[in-house]
Amino acid sequence: MTGRIVITRSLTAAVMEEAQRLPGELVVLGEAPPERSALLDAVANASAILSQLTERIDDEVLAAAGQGLRIVANGAAGVDNVDLEAAARRGVVVSNTPGVLDDATADLALALILATTRRVVEADRFIRGGSSWIWGPQEWIGLQLSAGATLGIVGLGRIGMAVARRAHAFGAGIVATGSRATGAEAAALGVEAVTLDELFARADIVTLHCPLTAETEGMVDTSRLASMRRGSYLINTGRGPLVDEEALADALDSGHVAGAGLDVHEHEPRVNERLRGSDRVVLLPHIGSAGAATRDAMGRLAVRNIAEVLAGRDPVTPVR
Ligand code: GLV
């Protein structure tokens, strides 16, 4: 018997069309993140939940769904919003959407690297402020990725590798930690596998691409920031809580860190006021995967995972 299929937030038209073909009553909770009580009510007797990173899918939600729940298909690569242990205990499959968002996210990481090091947003704000200006040989000088700057990629997985390809094309040297740092593709890009300590000590720009787990939460804290090179940059397109934002604001105030590009925020959607006030920080509203083709692909993959599991097969991209 198939129950209701709960889609917590409406998806692109192409994805919604595909979702209509799923076996079961489709319940779409709306555009905005559902209130907790609405989510708990809606999932009762669900066979599948297609969730987003804005919803905490914990044991309470799984219990509210009841025994018929077969799959939580999270519409993201990260699954830090899902209690994987509780799902495993209840025999509920969890899937995510890896692979289809690598390029879009890497594009955005490069955009933030260039925006911070070449001071793009700061310069735009300056022009809009109406100040008079004239070109000068010593004006607006920034760090040049293409002049051999060292990029440190924390977590060289799929997205990290897509960043490495782009950075290599720009002429950067690359040091990295992570599962693919010692592989053949990394070697072809001149990536040097290093420890986390070495990465922070050597990189001119550190970019974060590791998952948020109990081990990585708060990993970029006061002492990590102090271990960075003076005048270096921090980029985060992973998850906000990887970074202690107050510590980052201190490091920016002291000038030890020259700039930061943050697509994700420690207490999302709240943005740290000190960072908001800093000219040297570029702030984005978590848009790493927000390319049109990518958002369609993520939604389609989540729908396909539901279809497979409801048909009694394994999901295409299970979280293990
Ligand atoms: C987006 O942040 C994702 O994890 O897919």
Side-chain angles (χ1 to χ4, degrees):
M1 193 189 94
T2 46
R4 23 192 7 219
I5 296 157
V6 175
I7 297 187
T8 59
R9 301 183 65 181
S10 62
L11 303 163
T12 64
V15 176
M16 293 312 295
E17 203 180 303
E18 230 152 275
Q20 297 296 342
R21 293 197 279 272
L22 287 169
E25 181 203 351
L26 207 61
V27 179
V28 182
L29 300 186
E31 298 281 333
E35 294 290 339
R36 181 78 179 171
S37 55
L39 177 65
L40 290 170
D41 285 349
V43 296
N45 302 317
S47 55
I49 302 173
L50 198 166
S51 53
Q52 299 298 327
L53 56 83
T54 39
E55 287 85 58
R56 190 162 39 84
I57 306 296
D58 56 12
D59 198 48
E60 189 184 19
V61 173
L62 300 172
Q67 302 218 327
L69 183 65
R70 313 259 292 277
I71 177 169
V72 172
N74 205 41
V79 284
D80 45 283
N81 60 312
V82 181
D83 185 338
L84 298 178
E85 202 194 299
R89 205 178 339 106
R90 291 177 178 277
V92 175
V93 171
V94 178
S95 65
N96 63 344
T97 62
V100 294
L101 46 67
D102 304 346
D103 286 329
T105 308
D107 288 347
L108 197 85
L110 259 291
L112 282 174
I113 290 170
L114 294 171
T116 51
T117 56
R118 295 300 306 276
R119 306 172 64 182
V120 174
V121 177
E122 189 187 348
D124 176 85
R125 241 184 254 127
F126 167 79
I127 289 281
R128 288 174 201 278
S131 306
S132 66
W133 66 280
I134 187 149
W135 182 89
Q138 297 195 68
E139 298 300 325
W140 292 100
I141 291 175
L143 178 72
Q144 198 177 332
L145 196 61
S146 55
T150 299
L151 178 67
I153 302 178
V154 178
L156 195 74
R158 283 186 167 123
I159 297 172
M161 191 61 86
V163 172
R165 276 181 225 119
R166 287 158 174 74
H168 178 70
F170 270 86
I174 304 168
V175 294
T177 64
S179 60
R180 300 183 185 210
T182 51
E185 187 181 359
L189 295 172
V191 173
E192 200 183 327
V194 294
T195 63
L196 197 61
D197 287 351
E198 208 177 338
L199 185 149
F200 274 81
R202 284 180 51 189
D204 298 300
I205 306 150
V206 173
T207 182
L208 306 177
H209 299 285
C210 53
L212 175 63
T213 63
E215 288 72 45
T216 60
E217 183 164 359
M219 69 182 285
V220 183
D221 57 9
T222 302
S223 66
R224 269 285 166 231
L225 290 160
S227 76
M228 288 172 74
R229 299 184 62 159
R230 189 166 180 83
S232 57
Y233 295 80
L234 179 73
I235 306 298
N236 190 6
T237 55
R239 283 290 182 270
L242 296 170
V243 178
D244 176 341
E245 289 179 344
E246 281 297 309
L248 175 60
D250 290 342
L252 286 157
D253 282 352
S254 75
H256 187 74
V257 170
L262 306 177
D263 183 39
V264 289
H265 306 275
E266 188 178 359
H267 303 291
E268 224 167 285
R270 190 152 56 75
V271 174
N272 182 294
E273 284 307 320
R274 290 175 67 200
L275 298 178
R276 197 199 289 273
S278 170
D279 254 352
R280 283 170 295 130
V281 185
V282 177
L283 299 164
L284 301 177
H286 201 151
I287 57 173
S289 65
T294 294
R295 282 292 163 81
D296 277 349
M298 291 168 75
R300 283 203 171 102
L301 183 51
V303 168
R304 172 135 182 249
N305 278 321
I306 292 175
E308 293 296 318
V309 169
L310 294 187
R313 295 186 289 266
D314 288 338
V316 192
T317 50
V319 176
R320 296 187 198 283

